[in-house]
Amino acid sequence: MPPLVRISEIGRYLRCPRLIYYGNLPRKRDPEHLLLHSLMLSLSDDENLAGHLRADLSRLEQELPLVYEVEPREIGLACSDLEGRIDEIALSLQPSLGLLLPCEVEVDLRSERLGLSGRLDRLAPGRTPSLIRTGRAPEEGVWKRDRLMLAGYALLLGEKYQTKIDRGLVEYTRSGAVRAVQIHSVDRGRVLRIRDRIRAIKEGQMPDRPEGAMCERCEVRERCETSVTLASRFF
Ligand code: SF4
């Protein structure tokens, strides 16, 4: 039986298929992204949401350097920066709290039959998969990568609960926007096709460099450029 493909690998493939070829390299965690993600995991329906988030922020400032490889100074700076935006984030989040809570967070899912596994950020009411995103939100709707990752989690949840999950959420934490998305069959099918491509890449098939790949900030740029140069010497 081939190893299970993680939903995070589907996201990585959508960033660039070659990232799968190079495997998981240790990546420095961005302190602000780490803080935003952790803040959302401990979300509560406290009437004073901004107060709750602030209290959490100072707890995380102490705890995160103990758990992750991040400098206390870097976390401190990111906390001060976020502190000034907490009111705005809380104001945007407040109307969506009913969609997100009560919930389970960091839910491990796996299915041998689907050949997929993953850790879902939040299982929101109505067995709704919800992703926490710490980057920029699109003008409207959700990014394609987020939609397809949700489709992957919907497949896993559907298998677990023997039902069809056709709706998901994306929490764009930076702006406090929570966007709902319809999960269509075509996206479920795409996820399974990507799963097969990931398996083929892991077996040694080097994918082409996609057009418009974001190579400038890529963590494997040096290795990737070297292998392209070597390959071009042979062909
Ligand atoms: S350097 Fe560019 S082509 Fe290579 S893995 Fe990174 S994003 Fe993909």
Side-chain angles (χ1 to χ4, degrees), residues 4-221:
L4 302 184
V5 169
R6 292 193 65 79
I7 302 294
S8 56
E9 290 179 308
I10 305 262
R12 211 166 144 74
Y13 175 96
L14 290 163
R15 244 180 88 205
C16 174
R18 282 199 171 185
L19 290 171
I20 302 294
Y21 183 82
Y22 292 112
N24 272 334
L25 295 183
R27 211 178 168 194
K28 196 170 181 293
R29 306 286 299 252
D30 179 282
E32 193 189 51
H33 288 240
L34 200 53
L35 269 174
L36 282 167
H37 190 89
S38 308
L39 262 188
M40 286 306 281
L41 287 179
S42 52
L43 200 61
S44 100
D45 57 2
D46 194 326
E47 272 186 20
N48 178 6
L49 182 59
H52 169 84
L53 292 175
R54 274 207 180 82
D56 242 13
L57 204 55
S58 50
R59 175 182 62 81
L60 290 167
E61 184 172 1
Q62 306 305 316
E63 285 181 7
L64 291 182
L66 305 175
V67 180
Y68 298 97
E69 284 186 27
V70 278
E71 292 294 324
R73 198 184 66 87
E74 287 181 317
I75 285 285
L77 287 173
C79 272
S80 322
D81 187 40
L82 256 184
E83 170 83 34
R85 284 152 45 205
I86 285 288
D87 288 330
E88 189 193 327
I89 293 175
L91 201 67
S92 301
L93 268 179
Q94 194 85 49
S96 308
L97 285 185
L99 294 174
L100 304 177
L101 303 171
C103 68
E104 274 178 67
V105 295
E106 301 195 312
V107 181
D108 284 316
L109 299 163
R110 57 183 286 125
S111 160
E112 306 289 340
R113 197 161 76 94
L114 290 166
L116 294 171
S117 69
R119 178 171 289 175
L120 174 64
D121 291 330
R122 188 188 312 278
L123 183 55
R127 293 173 177 167
T128 308
S130 188
L131 298 183
I132 298 174
R133 285 288 174 255
T134 53
R136 192 172 56 84
E139 289 285 310
E140 53 185 48
V142 305
W143 299 114
K144 176 183 169 193
R145 180 150 66 112
D146 296 338
R147 199 184 74 230
L148 288 172
M149 287 178 72
L150 274 176
Y153 285 118
L155 278 166
L156 283 165
L157 287 170
E159 164 105 346
K160 179 173 178 180
Y161 296 116
Q162 292 297 298
T163 184
K164 195 166 176 205
I165 308 287
D166 55 11
R167 191 171 158 276
L169 299 167
V170 185
E171 307 165 33
Y172 291 108
T173 320
R174 192 171 288 268
S175 57
V178 178
R179 308 248 170 100
V181 56
Q182 199 66 30
I183 298 167
H184 297 290
S185 308
V186 66
D187 284 338
R188 288 177 229 272
R190 275 185 192 140
V191 167
L192 297 181
R193 285 200 298 280
I194 294 174
R195 173 205 61 190
D196 295 340
R197 284 188 216 136
I198 290 177
R199 282 179 179 157
I201 295 170
K202 284 182 167 178
E203 280 164 14
Q205 218 176 76
M206 164 78 113
D208 289 334
R209 180 181 179 278
E211 265 191 41
M214 310 278 272
C215 302
E216 296 74 28
R217 285 180 296 151
C218 178
E219 63 271 30
V220 298
R221 185 176 173 183

